[in-house]
Amino acid sequence: MVNWKGFKSGTDIRGYGCVQTEDPLYLSDEVVARMAKGFVCWLRTYTKKDTLTVAVGHDSRVSSERIDAAVTAALLSMGVCVKSCGMSSTPAMFLTTVELSCDGAVQITASHHPMDKNGLKFFTRDGGLEGGDIAAILTLAEANDFPDAEGGKAESVDFMETYAAILRRQIRDGIGGGEQPLLGYKIAVDAGNGVGGFYAKNVLAPLGADISGSRFLEPDGTFPNHIANPEDKTAMRMAAEATVDSGADLGIVFDTDVDRAGCVDAKGVEINRNRLVALAAAIALEDCPGGTVVTDSVTSDGLQKFIEAHGGKHLRFKRGYKNVIDKMIELNKAGESCPLAMETSGHAAFRENYNLDDGAYLMTRIIIRMAKLGKENLSALLDGLAVPAEENEVRFRILSEDFRTVGEQFIESWTAFAGALAGYTVAPDNYEGVRFSTDADAGDGWILVRLSVHDPVIVINAESNTQGGTLQMLQTLYAFTKKYTDIDYSKLTSLLKE
C-alpha cells in the first residue's frame, strides 16, 4: 500500500526511484502521475488560472528520465502546456518561471541522496513550495479525483543554455575585461557526475578559464566516483587533490542538482560549512553594510564574530534551507536589510538572485570576487575567522513511533538539567532545540541539542576551542541520556569509548 504522507520530506517529495518494488515509498509511474496531477490542481488554485504552462526537468539519476516522462504525460492529460527542459539544475528550473514566464516548474531530483532515491521539487514564481503545500498535493494525489482535459502540448526547450548565458553575462559584467575575462585563470570543477558539469563546459570555458583540472563532469546516475555532496569528506578531499594536482586557482564542488556548492583554494584548503558561509557573508556585506545574514542553528561562535567584524548582524535561525530563506524574505519585507540566507550544508540564497539557493550563482559571486582581488587573495577574505579546535556531531535515533513528543520531552528535560550545571549558559538565540555555551571548565565552547527537521532523530552538535572539550560536553550529555530506554544513544557510547 502506498504511504502517501511518507513521501513528504520537508518542502520536497522523496521516495525510491530505481527498482519496481512493493515499497510503500516507491515512485511508480502511477504514483508520480498522481503527484503531478495534484500539483496542477494546487497550481490552478494558487494562480487562479485554468490554462497553465509548467516546465519539467530532471537530474542525472538513473530513474529520472522515467519519472520525467510520467510527470510530463500526466501534465499533458490535464491540458497543461509543458516546457520539457531535459537534464537541468534545480535553480534553472525555478528560473523558467522568470525567463519563460512558466506558471510553475517541476524538478525531478533527490539531491545528494543515494542513487536508488529520487523525488520532486515544485516551484512557482514566488519560489519553492512550503511544507503545507506539499501535504496538500499529496492529499490530492491520494484522493485521485482528476478530470482529464484537452489542449496539453509539449515543447522541448534547451533552457540550460539560457541559464549558462545568464551566468556568463553576470561574470562578464562583474569582472569586466571583454568576452573572456577569465583568461589566465584555472578552475577545477568536480561535478560528481551530477548536473554541474555544465558550469565548467558552458560557463567557465567560454569565458577563457582553463578547466583541464576538472573531474567527473559527465552525468552518470550511478555516481561511480563519490557522492555529489559538498558536505561529503571524500568529495571535498578529491576536489582538493584535483585543485592542487592541476595547479588550479580555485576548485569547485557541486551537489547533484547544483543548488549547493563548496570550494577549495589554490593550496587545497577546503572552503565549506562555516568557512563558506563566512566567505559568502563577506561578499554579500560589501554591497550591504549593516545587513543581516541569516544562517542555520549549527554555525560557530567564530562566524558570528566574523560577520559582526564585517559590519553585519548575524541571525542564527533554524536548520533547513527553506527556513533560513523564508526568514530572510520575512526580514526584508519588514524593512530589515538582509542580503544573504545560508545553511552550512552549502545552500546559499542571495536576495538579488530571487532569494534562490543556487550553488552556481554562489560560485559565480566568488569567482568575480577572486578576479577582483587577484588569484592569491581569495582566502584573505577569511582572515579573522576563528576556527574551533574540534567539532562533533552525534545522532540519537528515537525508537518510539511518537518520536516528536519523545524528542521534545528529551530536550525539555535536558534544558532543565544542563541549565543547573556550573559553566553552562543557555544561548539567547534558540530558535530550535537548545544551545548552551560552556566556559573553560565545562568544555570551552557550545553544545546544541535539537530534533532533526525530518527524521526521528535527536541531533547533537558541539564545538570547542580546546582539544577534548567536545568530548567533555558529550560525557555530560551521556550522564543525562543513559536513563532513557526509548532512545538509541549507542553512537555516543561508541564515540566516548574510542
Side-chain angles (χ1 to χ4, degrees):
M1 181 176 291
V2 177
N3 178 10
W4 291 99
K5 291 182 179 179
F7 285 111
K8 182 178 180 296
S9 179
T11 55
D12 300 336
I13 284 173
R14 292 269 170 81
Y16 293 93
C18 269
V19 181
Q20 186 169 356
T21 68
E22 298 301 319
D23 192 290
L25 294 180
Y26 175 61
L27 291 164
S28 68
D29 288 358
E30 179 185 357
V31 165
V32 167
R34 287 164 65 171
M35 291 172 175
K37 291 178 180 181
F39 176 56
V40 171
C41 291
W42 178 91
L43 189 60
R44 283 178 173 148
T45 300
Y46 184 81
T47 62
K48 299 180 174 61
K49 293 174 62 176
D50 292 326
T51 302
L52 299 173
T53 299
V54 175
V56 180
H58 63 262
D59 70 11
S60 61
R61 292 170 183 278
V62 294
S63 60
S64 288
E65 286 192 8
R66 172 186 67 80
I67 294 174
D68 187 312
V71 168
T72 299
L75 296 177
L76 293 174
S77 75
M78 296 280 283
V80 174
C81 295
V82 178
K83 302 289 187 183
S84 295
C85 297
M87 192 171 297
S88 304
S89 74
T90 292
M93 292 311 300
F94 163 76
L95 281 173
T96 62
T97 68
V98 178
E99 300 292 330
L100 302 181
S101 299
C102 292
D103 301 294
V106 184
Q107 169 73 345
I108 293 124
T109 183
S111 187
H112 61 282
H113 288 273
M115 61 170 287
D116 61 333
K117 293 287 189 72
N118 217 321
L120 305 174
K121 290 176 179 280
F122 301 105
F123 296 97
T124 70
R125 177 61 180 79
D126 297 322
L129 272 58
E130 301 292 341
D133 302 325
I134 299 300
I137 288 169
L138 289 171
T139 297
L140 290 166
E142 184 173 14
N144 196 27
D145 183 18
F146 304 114
D148 287 339
E150 297 180 351
K153 58 182 180 179
E155 175 189 3
S156 294
V157 178
D158 185 6
F159 187 72
M160 284 302 290
E161 175 48 38
T162 300
Y163 177 54
I166 291 170
L167 294 170
R168 292 195 300 267
R169 184 179 69 246
Q170 288 169 344
I171 293 175
R172 288 192 181 106
D173 291 347
I175 298 175
E179 286 296 299
Q180 293 193 310
L182 294 180
L183 277 173
Y185 286 87
K186 191 167 189 177
I187 301 174
V189 175
D190 185 331
N193 302 111
V195 178
F198 85 95
Y199 193 75
K201 297 176 181 179
N202 298 345
V203 178
L204 300 180
L207 296 177
D210 180 346
I211 61 167
S212 60
S214 298
R215 294 180 177 180
F216 317 135
L217 302 184
E218 297 303 320
D220 184 339
T222 65
F223 308 115
N225 295 291
H226 61 70
I227 297 170
N229 181 3
E231 285 192 292
D232 180 68
K233 292 181 179 179
T234 299
M236 291 304 296
R237 175 181 56 78
M238 294 183 77
E241 290 172 355
T243 303
V244 173
D245 291 349
S246 66
D249 305 302
L250 180 71
I252 294 173
V253 183
F254 289 120
D255 75 340
T256 310
D257 61 328
V258 200
D259 59 2
R260 293 188 297 130
C263 57
V264 178
D265 72 13
K267 296 180 180 178
V269 178
E270 297 175 8
I271 304 176
N272 61 354
R273 298 187 63 79
N274 283 290
R275 287 172 57 80
L276 185 61
V277 178
L279 181 57
I283 292 170
L285 290 170
E286 287 175 346
D287 299 324
C288 185
T292 297
V293 175
V294 181
T295 73
D296 59 356
S297 59
V298 300
T299 50
S300 67
D301 290 339
L303 178 64
Q304 181 164 348
K305 294 175 183 176
F306 178 88
I307 291 172
E308 291 171 351
H310 280 73
K313 302 174 185 176
H314 180 207
L315 175 60
R316 188 185 289 119
F317 196 51
K318 299 178 181 179
R319 287 285 282 179
Y321 70 93
K322 196 68 167 62
N323 288 327
V324 296
I325 291 172
D326 286 349
K327 191 64 177 178
M328 174 176 70
I329 294 170
E330 175 192 323
L331 292 176
N332 281 314
K333 285 182 177 179
E336 181 174 347
S337 184
C338 180
L340 175 68
M342 190 161 179
E343 203 182 29
T344 47
S345 64
H347 284 282
F350 288 82
R351 176 177 56 191
E352 77 271 9
N353 190 42
Y354 308 102
N355 304 307
L356 173 67
D357 51 319
D358 183 346
Y361 183 80
L362 171 63
M363 291 299 110
T364 293
R365 289 295 304 267
I366 289 173
I367 288 169
I368 291 170
R369 197 70 189 94
M370 178 181 70
K372 289 184 175 181
L373 285 169
K375 297 178 184 180
E376 297 81 14
N377 298 319
L378 181 64
S379 292
L381 280 179
L382 296 174
D383 288 350
L385 176 64
V387 178
E390 63 179 20
E391 55 186 318
N392 255 311
E393 180 176 287
V394 182
R395 292 171 174 255
F396 297 164
R397 180 157 292 277
I398 302 173
L399 305 177
S400 170
E401 289 188 9
D402 187 12
F403 68 88
R404 191 154 299 278
T405 298
V406 171
E408 289 171 352
Q409 290 175 347
F410 179 93
I411 292 171
E412 182 179 352
S413 297
W414 162 251
T415 301
F417 175 84
L421 295 174
Y424 274 66
T425 304
V426 68
D429 53 351
N430 283 304
Y431 289 95
E432 64 175 347
V434 60
R435 178 171 173 142
F436 282 95
S437 299
T438 59
D439 67 17
D441 294 325
D444 194 19
W446 57 268
I447 182 168
L448 170 68
V449 180
R450 62 183 178 86
L451 271 174
S452 168
V453 177
H454 307 308
D455 302 318
V457 171
I458 296 170
V459 186
I460 298 94
N461 294 91
E463 284 189 1
S464 176
N465 300 312
T466 306
Q467 288 292 338
T470 61
L471 291 181
Q472 182 180 351
M473 289 181 274
L474 292 173
Q475 186 70 57
T476 300
L477 178 68
Y478 175 73
F480 165 80
T481 301
K482 62 184 181 181
K483 64 182 180 182
Y484 285 85
T485 59
D486 48 4
I487 293 174
D488 178 6
Y489 53 89
S490 56
K491 290 187 177 180
L492 176 59
T493 304
S494 300
L495 178 64
L496 294 175
K497 287 180 179 178
E498 290 179 358

